[in-house]
Amino acid sequence: MAEAFSSLVDAFKNVGVSRAYGAPVQLDGEELIPVALVSFGFGGGSAPASEDAPAGSGGGGGGFVLPLGVYARSRGGCVVFRPNPVAVLLGLAPVVCAVGLTLRGLLHGRR
């Protein structure tokens, strides 16, 4: 079990802010810094042997990266965020659903 835990620690050692903000990229003479939403998770468990089933254990994990946009310098020299419209819509979908369900519940409760 200790070997499995140490391999998980090694696999997720570099996860953090460096995964959300990428290395600067030069494109057409402009420096861009990519920004992403990074999420991951893992878990595991075990069960002792019983009369009906043998002992067992298992685990798993997964994650995703959603590119949100880039930071770039505007013509005036200020740093601005340029969002990826498709990713922003995908990221806001759960929020919109949650707000809609909440409003529905509040309105339904007033009847």
Side-chain angles (χ1 to χ4, degrees), residues 2 5 24 46 56 68 76 102:
F5 182 72
S46 64
L68 296 178
T102 302

Short mmCIF file of all heavy atoms in Angstrom, two decimals, residues 2 5 24 46 56 68 76 102:
data_model
loop_
_atom_site.label_atom_id
_atom_site.label_comp_id
_atom_site.label_asym_id
_atom_site.label_seq_id
_atom_site.Cartn_x
_atom_site.Cartn_y
_atom_site.Cartn_z
N ALA A 2 2.00 1.21 0.71
CA ALA A 2 2.89 2.37 0.76
C ALA A 2 3.48 2.67 -0.61
O ALA A 2 3.68 3.83 -0.97
CB ALA A 2 4.00 2.12 1.78
N PHE A 5 0.87 4.55 -2.65
CA PHE A 5 0.76 5.94 -2.21
C PHE A 5 1.93 6.77 -2.70
O PHE A 5 1.75 7.89 -3.18
CB PHE A 5 0.65 6.01 -0.69
CG PHE A 5 0.47 7.40 -0.17
CD1 PHE A 5 -0.73 8.06 -0.35
CD2 PHE A 5 1.51 8.06 0.46
CE1 PHE A 5 -0.91 9.35 0.11
CE2 PHE A 5 1.34 9.34 0.92
CZ PHE A 5 0.13 10.00 0.74
N PRO A 24 5.17 31.13 -20.95
CA PRO A 24 4.91 32.15 -21.96
C PRO A 24 5.27 31.65 -23.36
O PRO A 24 6.25 30.94 -23.55
CB PRO A 24 5.83 33.31 -21.56
CG PRO A 24 6.11 33.09 -20.11
CD PRO A 24 6.08 31.61 -19.91
N SER A 46 -10.74 -0.60 0.22
CA SER A 46 -10.57 -2.04 0.34
C SER A 46 -11.71 -2.60 1.18
O SER A 46 -12.37 -1.88 1.91
CB SER A 46 -9.22 -2.38 0.98
OG SER A 46 -9.18 -1.88 2.30
N GLY A 56 -10.83 -7.59 -1.22
CA GLY A 56 -10.49 -6.86 -2.44
C GLY A 56 -10.10 -5.43 -2.14
O GLY A 56 -10.37 -4.90 -1.08
N LEU A 68 -8.92 28.22 -20.52
CA LEU A 68 -9.80 29.37 -20.31
C LEU A 68 -9.46 30.57 -21.18
O LEU A 68 -10.33 31.35 -21.52
CB LEU A 68 -9.76 29.79 -18.84
CG LEU A 68 -10.29 28.76 -17.84
CD1 LEU A 68 -10.15 29.29 -16.43
CD2 LEU A 68 -11.73 28.42 -18.16
N GLY A 76 -1.61 49.37 -25.44
CA GLY A 76 -1.17 50.39 -24.49
C GLY A 76 -0.13 49.88 -23.50
O GLY A 76 0.37 50.63 -22.68
N THR A 102 -32.02 26.59 -8.32
CA THR A 102 -32.30 27.31 -7.08
C THR A 102 -33.51 28.21 -7.24
O THR A 102 -34.41 28.24 -6.38
CB THR A 102 -31.07 28.13 -6.64
OG1 THR A 102 -29.96 27.25 -6.48
CG2 THR A 102 -31.33 28.86 -5.34
#
